[in-house]
Amino acid sequence: MTAVLSVDGLETSFPVGSRRVAVVDGVSFQVAAGEVLALVGESGCGKSVTALSTLRLIPKPGHIDRGTISLNGRNLLELSVGDMRRVRGREAAMIFQEPMTSLNPVQTVGSQVAEAIRLHERTSAGDARRRSIELFDRVRIPDPDVRFDSFPHEMSGGLKQRVMIAMALALHPKLLIADEPTTALDVTIQAQILELLRELQREFDTAILLITHDLGVVNELADRIAVMYAGRIVEEGTREEILTHARHPYTRGLLRSIPSLARRGQRLEEIAGVVPPPRDWPAGCRFCTRCSEVLPRCESELPDARNFSSTHSARCFAIPESAS
Amino acid sequence: MEGYIFSNLVALALVVSAGFALATARRSDLWREAGRTIARRRPIALGVVLLFIAIGLLDSVAWVDGAKDGASGGTLSETQPRTVVDRFFPADFKERSYSAPLADAEFYGGASLRYPGSHLLGTDILGRDVLHLTLKGVRIALLIGGLTSLIVIPLALVFGISAGYFGGRSDDVIFFIMSTLNSIPSLLLLIALVMVLGRGPVQVCFAMGVTSWVGFCRVVRGETLKLRELDYVQAARALGVSNARILVRHILPNVTHLVVITFVLLFSGLVLSEAILSYLGIGIDGSWGQMIDQARDELSRDPIVWWNLLAASGALFCLILAVNFVGDAVRDVLDPRTVREDV
Amino acid sequence: MFAYIVRRSAYGAVVVMGVLAILFALFFLYASPQEIALRAVGEKAPQEVIDQWIENHGYNRPLDELLVDHYRRMLTFDFGRSDADDTPIIDRLREGAGPSLSLTLPLFVLGLVLGIGLSLFVAYFRGTYIDTAGVVLAVLGMSVSVLLYIIGGQFLIGKLLRWFPISGFDPSPDLILRFLALPILIATAEGLGGSLRFYRTVFIEETSRDYVRTARAKGCGDGRIMARHVLRNAMIPILTRVVVAIPFLFTGSLLLESFFGIPGLGSLMVDAIQGNDFATLRVMVFIGSLLFIFAQIATDVSYTLVDPRVRLE
């Protein structure tokens, strides 16, 4: 499989006080066509910044300092502003966490989808409208031709997220970045949206970069998983490898903190503490402040990635040698 | 009671209450941190504001030197109360007419001066020292902002909080009063009020208070509406805590930051409005606005008299600029809506 | 929609009644006829003259009669005569409206266009030196008194540079612009600081919203985002601010007109203040409020056109 998206050594920094702190610090990953890569971690670990960096949507004063982001072999960081604009929406699209606020409140939802089409293709308003209504139908919005003229505040969160998906998929992009697409929605709606995403992804053979903190969503959708902690990827592998053979103490902590029927009645475990703010990140392994298996060298040295299979790797000193 | 004794007492009361407020604020992390941030971001502007306040306070403390009965044959200057600021200048620091800054002779005619070379900013048409007048204007400017705020803030707090908290009929009535007052263009209302109430510092401040409390009241009402719905206030109500106690313990402390923001932002507007009133002949005596108004014809004299205008408008500009800069910082620090999201 | 306009107008009518009540309280209850007469004829006038004046101007009637009369005459635009020189006030209003409008209308348009244009420019460069310079200049500009703008502008442009006449007014088409240029220039410069700062805040707040990110993610360029998405959403705060200025189009600018000798409604107001002409003052405040109330209704109605979220309740 060739990678649609290949991110290498990405570093994005924000000013904290008087200095700049790399909130995303040397992140690398690939997503192949038709594949779903889930980027998992707690809030504040840099997942969303990674996602936004990929399309160069980092708000000022954030800045991408280093790395390459190649989409279909082209390094996006070298494109002109105009070329980058032509990539967004056409080759790579994005859906966001907050369907409530992500749509322009004073324009009809239909016109916003039609705009996405007309930004990239010379086509008549009537044709854009017709195609938008088809898309609404495709993402299963009821009464699509009526809903075309609705305003965002007249729709539920689930419907708005369907509009966002329709907008993102309007031009059949090769890559879809979904930043917490279901977090703000009710559980039943979540399942429908996930189902829809999977269906569309199979149909168009889209590569999806899924950003989430919800391992349930990961289990539903992901082919491979990359676990992020404090600006770095600490473990990466296929869904099976991560969910059942996790190596990194952080990943295992995350997995232990999901309630499951099998462990009913037991006390739910949690990882003590929260992700420290970027200015307090330790020099070595960044998880060392919360890790239960911390070694002396963890605080000063950065562990290299160790491979456990061709697809599975983790960055940790505490994993016994015999394991690999 | 003599006017100057009253003024001394007010100055004392202000210093004491400011000290008390500072001591209270220091005990809260939020306020201490806010104060530090402002001092770090706008050190110069804050310094200028404090300097103006110091001058204003020093100009409010006065005493009489000589015996008041006049039996000792005291001159006028010995029987008049003079403030600390006045005492920086000779008691009878006057010329007969205009003299340019640091001049040795009168500006027109060239008669010799009584204090040659010592009027740093020259003298005005009546021969008064312009630097002295400008410094005395500080107190008037602070009075305009301070006294008016003393009218605006309680008015807005009482009406805003009761409208927001109790809702219903009282909200309707207060809202109607607000929209009625708000429907009269503020400069016109201000002029009408001053015309009817008559001239004088208290009347002018009262009029400015009446015309400017509505905006703040609306903000307080909105904030109270929000606070009332918060869980802990609802919980307090459910537990049967009295309204008075909820208002004092939960609502009032949570609108204090709005009071501070409004006070600082209101201040410069008030001082500038007074300048307009001065031009219309209904301002406060001794204000910078009045000095500017009196100076406006001097530019058409030949040769022109510029120092009056420059001194008054320079002082006005410095104060307003400093207050505006501090005000921006205060709003950025205290207003949660403008807080930038962290990554 | 129609029902909404009717309902909103009805509330406006109630507010007009409230304004008239405030005026009555100020000019008839608080200020006694004796006081008004004293100010009009002079402190030292003999009592007979004062009494005569009070009778001539109808202030000697009982309060309830005055109240009814006050409402009836204001609402029918029967404004009576000036307390100072006995001319019918309505004539003075008619004469003054033209000059006032010829000053305020271009001022309003120019101020709006420059204010919004410049702040869009500054907001586009947010976080850069252009932005910082814009903000600092705006605060500097806001900190200068209007009086200084006018005096300084007259002195610099009118007297030293001699570009335009210092003051005066002539309604003939080829001269009017020469006389109005200086006040318009000065007042535009004076207002720019405040509007730049206000509109910049509005635009920056609007550009940091989520829907702007969505628009960028689908490939919208910055110019299109500003024009199609941000401007429309920013219309609500802009409308609110613009409407506040509308009554002044008619009542004129007190300071400008009086400094530049423009015989408009602002001058009329200044004359009324200086001549203790309470009758004219009352009428001016009423007219100003009436226009303001109309403008507020118009804004509320236009909100419903701009923002689909505003419900007509």
Side-chain angles (χ1 to χ4, degrees):
Chain A
M1 281 196 295
T2 52
V4 171
L5 173 72
S6 166
V7 172
D8 192 36
L10 178 69
E11 210 175 301
T12 302
S13 66
F14 278 84
V16 174
S18 54
R19 62 203 182 91
R20 295 191 76 88
V21 171
V23 177
V24 173
D25 191 2
V27 163
S28 308
F29 58 85
Q30 277 100 41
V31 196
E35 182 189 49
V36 179
L37 172 71
L39 205 53
V40 182
E42 290 164 286
S43 24
C45 72
K47 313 175 297 250
S48 286
V49 176
T50 308
L52 289 170
S53 298
T54 310
L55 284 187
R56 281 172 54 186
L57 288 172
I58 287 293
K60 279 176 192 164
H63 186 254
I64 301 174
D65 298 329
R66 226 166 268 125
T68 55
I69 298 166
S70 66
L71 183 70
N72 295 322
R74 264 204 305 178
N75 185 359
L76 297 184
L77 296 183
E78 287 165 359
L79 293 186
S80 70
V81 171
D83 285 339
M84 191 61 223
R85 192 158 53 74
R86 280 181 279 277
V87 168
R88 294 188 196 121
R90 185 191 195 89
E91 291 176 47
M94 189 156 180
I95 49 182
F96 299 97
Q97 179 176 355
E98 307 86 4
M100 302 299 164
T101 54
S102 292
L103 289 165
N104 186 339
V106 303
Q107 289 182 1
T108 61
V109 289
S111 70
Q112 296 182 55
V113 176
E115 186 187 19
I117 297 172
R118 299 192 72 195
L119 277 170
H120 298 283
E121 283 180 23
R122 288 187 162 275
T123 177
S124 70
D127 182 56
R129 184 190 170 97
R130 189 185 49 73
R131 281 169 60 186
S132 304
I133 292 174
E134 277 173 26
L135 280 162
F136 275 20
D137 193 36
R138 187 68 202 79
V139 297
R140 287 197 225 98
I141 294 175
D143 305 326
D145 43 346
V146 179
R147 283 304 188 178
F148 183 92
D149 294 313
S150 295
F151 287 100
H153 71 278
E154 297 164 339
M155 294 181 134
S156 67
L159 276 184
K160 271 186 267 198
Q161 199 61 301
R162 284 172 197 268
V163 172
M164 289 294 291
I165 293 172
M167 192 192 295
L169 295 179
L171 297 160
H172 306 320
K174 298 278 180 298
L175 171 71
L176 177 68
I177 300 170
D179 186 1
E180 306 266 14
T182 58
T183 309
L185 304 175
D186 289 344
V187 182
T188 47
I189 311 291
Q190 280 188 12
Q192 294 169 15
I193 295 285
L194 289 177
E195 176 62 34
L196 178 68
L197 275 176
R198 184 161 47 198
E199 194 184 305
L200 294 170
Q201 184 245 349
R202 294 218 175 107
E203 184 178 327
F204 298 123
D205 204 27
T206 318
I208 295 185
L209 175 61
L210 175 73
I211 313 291
T212 186
H213 68 275
D214 184 341
L215 290 168
V217 172
V218 171
N219 193 27
E220 288 284 321
L221 212 57
D223 300 311
R224 286 193 304 120
I225 299 172
V227 182
M228 229 178 139
Y229 184 82
R232 288 179 184 150
I233 289 179
V234 294
E235 184 163 10
E236 195 181 341
T238 63
R239 182 175 59 186
E240 291 298 301
E241 283 164 339
I242 299 292
L243 293 184
T244 55
H245 306 291
R247 303 286 186 171
H248 198 281
Y250 176 63
T251 316
R252 284 187 275 133
L254 273 185
L255 290 169
R256 272 199 303 274
S257 64
I258 337 175
S260 81
L261 287 174
R263 283 180 290 157
R264 252 168 77 158
Q266 293 174 21
R267 193 177 182 282
L268 198 58
E269 291 184 53
E270 56 178 351
I271 311 173
V274 291
V275 186
R279 62 167 176 273
D280 298 335
W281 284 350
C285 172
R286 285 177 178 163
F287 189 56
C288 68
T289 53
R290 299 166 72 192
C291 185
S292 54
E293 300 165 39
V294 64
L295 303 171
R297 60 193 294 213
C298 293
E299 278 160 35
S300 52
E301 286 176 59
L302 180 67
D304 284 330
R306 279 170 58 191
N307 292 320
F308 306 102
S309 77
S310 60
T311 49
H312 189 188
S313 67
R315 290 172 180 270
C316 182
F317 293 123
I319 304 167
E321 282 301 326
S322 57
S324 54
Chain B
M1 188 163 52
E2 297 273 345
Y4 73 94
I5 297 178
F6 179 68
S7 165
N8 289 355
L9 288 176
V10 169
L12 182 72
L14 278 178
V15 172
V16 170
S17 50
F20 185 71
L22 272 181
T24 318
R26 280 186 73 87
R27 269 187 270 133
S28 142
D29 285 342
L30 178 80
W31 290 96
R32 205 171 46 220
E33 182 60 30
R36 276 203 198 121
T37 313
I38 293 164
R40 203 180 52 235
R41 281 176 52 179
R42 297 268 182 257
I44 298 173
L46 195 63
V48 171
V49 170
L50 290 176
L51 177 71
F52 273 103
I53 293 176
I55 295 174
L57 281 175
L58 288 180
D59 197 27
S60 306
V61 178
W63 64 91
V64 180
D65 289 328
K68 274 178 82 180
D69 50 16
S72 59
T75 61
L76 187 71
S77 65
E78 282 172 329
T79 55
Q80 290 286 316
R82 292 169 70 218
T83 68
V84 179
V85 170
D86 294 336
R87 284 162 203 275
F88 284 116
F89 300 93
D92 200 17
F93 202 45
K94 280 190 68 161
E95 306 300 337
R96 273 178 300 277
S97 181
Y98 287 120
S99 68
L102 298 175
D104 293 328
E106 272 182 32
F107 196 60
Y108 299 111
S112 60
L113 296 179
R114 293 165 56 194
Y115 295 93
S118 54
H119 295 290
L120 200 61
L121 290 173
T123 58
D124 71 353
I125 190 164
L126 297 174
R128 293 174 297 182
D129 184 70
V130 172
L131 177 63
H132 189 184
L133 291 176
T134 310
L135 288 179
K136 293 205 77 80
V138 172
R139 179 166 164 268
I140 304 291
L142 296 179
L143 187 77
I144 294 164
L147 191 58
T148 310
S149 304
L150 276 184
I151 296 162
V152 167
I153 291 173
L155 210 59
L157 280 181
V158 168
F159 282 107
I161 291 182
S162 41
Y165 186 77
F166 296 109
R169 188 50 53 86
S170 63
D171 187 24
D172 289 343
V173 170
I174 292 167
F175 195 82
F176 176 70
I177 294 175
M178 289 202 298
S179 43
T180 304
L181 276 178
N182 215 24
S183 297
I184 307 177
S186 57
L187 186 60
L188 294 186
L189 180 60
L190 183 58
I191 290 168
L193 279 168
V194 178
M195 288 298 288
V196 170
L197 297 176
R199 297 189 47 189
V202 179
Q203 285 88 335
V204 170
C205 289
F206 178 79
M208 292 205 289
V210 170
T211 48
S212 46
W213 69 279
V214 172
F216 180 37
C217 187
R218 189 167 285 181
V219 176
V220 172
R221 175 178 171 270
E223 190 69 18
T224 310
L225 273 175
K226 255 188 283 168
L227 289 171
R228 191 182 65 169
E229 299 306 320
L230 288 185
D231 289 342
Y232 68 88
V233 176
Q234 292 290 336
R237 280 164 71 126
L239 287 171
V241 179
S242 74
N243 279 332
R245 196 177 159 80
I246 293 179
L247 288 178
V248 173
R249 291 293 298 267
H250 297 306
I251 308 284
L252 206 54
N254 285 305
V255 294
T256 328
H257 70 286
L258 293 177
V259 173
V260 176
I261 295 172
T262 309
F263 172 68
V264 186
L265 295 183
L266 195 64
F267 187 93
S268 49
L270 291 174
V271 179
L272 290 175
S273 299
E274 193 279 338
I276 296 177
L277 288 183
S278 279
Y279 166 74
L280 297 172
I282 47 180
I284 298 176
D285 283 333
S287 74
W288 291 324
Q290 211 175 44
M291 286 176 75
I292 296 176
D293 177 45
Q294 285 163 358
R296 71 189 145 114
D297 293 330
E298 294 171 352
L299 288 181
S300 53
R301 287 172 181 270
D302 190 42
I304 59 165
V305 172
W306 47 267
W307 50 90
N308 263 321
L309 182 66
L310 193 79
S313 46
L316 181 62
F317 175 70
C318 286
L319 176 65
I320 301 297
L321 185 65
V323 170
N324 277 343
F325 272 126
V326 173
D328 275 2
V330 167
R331 188 178 47 189
D332 284 354
V333 170
L334 290 181
D335 191 346
R337 276 171 307 174
T338 55
V339 172
R340 292 234 182 101
E341 283 173 42
D342 253 347
V343 191
Chain C
M1 186 68 186
F2 181 70
Y4 173 77
I5 296 175
V6 169
R7 214 167 39 239
R8 184 66 189 77
S9 306
Y11 189 72
V14 177
V15 172
V16 171
M17 296 295 154
V19 169
L20 282 174
I22 290 178
L23 287 181
F24 186 79
L26 277 179
F27 286 98
F28 292 95
L29 294 181
Y30 190 88
S32 68
Q34 179 77 17
E35 259 180 78
I36 297 177
L38 265 183
R39 291 208 207 168
V41 297
E43 298 280 339
K44 295 195 182 71
Q47 190 60 39
E48 307 90 81
V49 178
I50 295 173
D51 289 342
Q52 188 60 45
W53 190 93
I54 293 178
E55 200 178 318
N56 284 348
H57 289 85
Y59 285 110
N60 57 340
R61 290 168 293 168
L63 269 182
D64 52 341
E65 201 178 307
L66 277 176
L67 178 71
V68 174
D69 198 47
H70 167 68
Y71 269 85
R72 186 183 58 77
R73 293 175 64 165
M74 285 293 185
L75 291 175
T76 53
F77 295 109
D78 171 16
F79 296 134
R81 290 166 181 276
S82 149
D83 276 356
D85 57 8
D86 258 359
T87 51
I89 295 174
I90 193 86
D91 291 351
R92 300 281 312 264
L93 291 179
R94 282 210 195 93
E95 288 161 21
S100 276
L101 272 178
S102 66
L103 169 67
T104 49
L105 213 55
L107 189 58
F108 176 75
V109 174
L110 198 64
L112 194 65
V113 170
L114 275 180
I116 292 184
L118 275 178
S119 44
L120 270 176
F121 178 77
V122 167
Y124 181 79
F125 288 102
R126 75 183 284 198
T128 66
Y129 287 110
I130 295 176
D131 183 26
T132 315
V135 174
V136 170
L137 280 179
V139 177
L140 285 177
M142 283 171 67
S143 305
V144 178
S145 165
V146 199
L147 295 180
L148 191 66
Y149 272 105
I150 299 179
I151 298 173
Q154 274 186 331
F155 179 71
L156 204 75
I157 300 176
K159 195 170 175 204
L160 289 186
L161 300 172
R162 293 179 184 279
W163 288 355
F164 304 110
I166 290 183
S167 77
F169 185 76
D170 191 322
S172 63
D174 41 339
L175 282 175
I176 191 165
L177 208 67
R178 274 182 57 77
F179 282 110
L180 288 180
L182 189 55
I184 289 176
L185 201 69
I186 289 174
T188 308
E190 192 261 328
L192 207 54
S195 36
L196 178 63
R197 208 163 76 129
F198 176 82
Y199 293 128
R200 174 188 169 273
T201 315
V202 168
F203 288 135
I204 285 193
E205 214 173 285
E206 220 39 65
T207 44
S208 58
R209 298 218 191 272
D210 285 343
Y211 72 82
V212 172
R213 191 179 57 184
T214 308
R216 280 180 30 145
K218 69 184 176 189
C220 250
D222 286 330
R224 191 185 166 88
I225 286 178
M226 280 290 178
R228 291 271 314 221
H229 295 273
V230 171
L231 202 56
R232 178 96 190 275
N233 276 283
M235 273 320 278
I236 290 168
I238 291 176
L239 267 177
T240 312
R241 185 183 165 92
V242 165
V243 165
V244 176
I246 287 180
F248 297 104
L249 292 182
F250 298 92
T251 58
S253 160
L254 303 187
L255 294 185
L256 284 177
E257 289 185 15
S258 129
F259 263 106
F260 290 94
I262 297 163
L265 296 176
S267 286
L268 177 60
M269 183 85 181
V270 174
D271 290 348
I273 294 164
Q274 268 141 18
N276 281 305
D277 181 354
F278 280 52
T280 306
L281 211 58
R282 210 155 61 205
V283 171
M284 288 300 293
V285 177
F286 175 66
I287 301 264
S289 313
L290 205 59
L291 292 167
F292 206 29
I293 293 166
F294 270 122
Q296 284 171 333
I297 296 174
T299 343
D300 283 353
V301 173
S302 54
Y303 282 162
T304 62
L305 302 177
V306 173
D307 189 344
R309 287 165 297 180
V310 175
R311 280 172 298 170
L312 302 178
E313 275 163 20

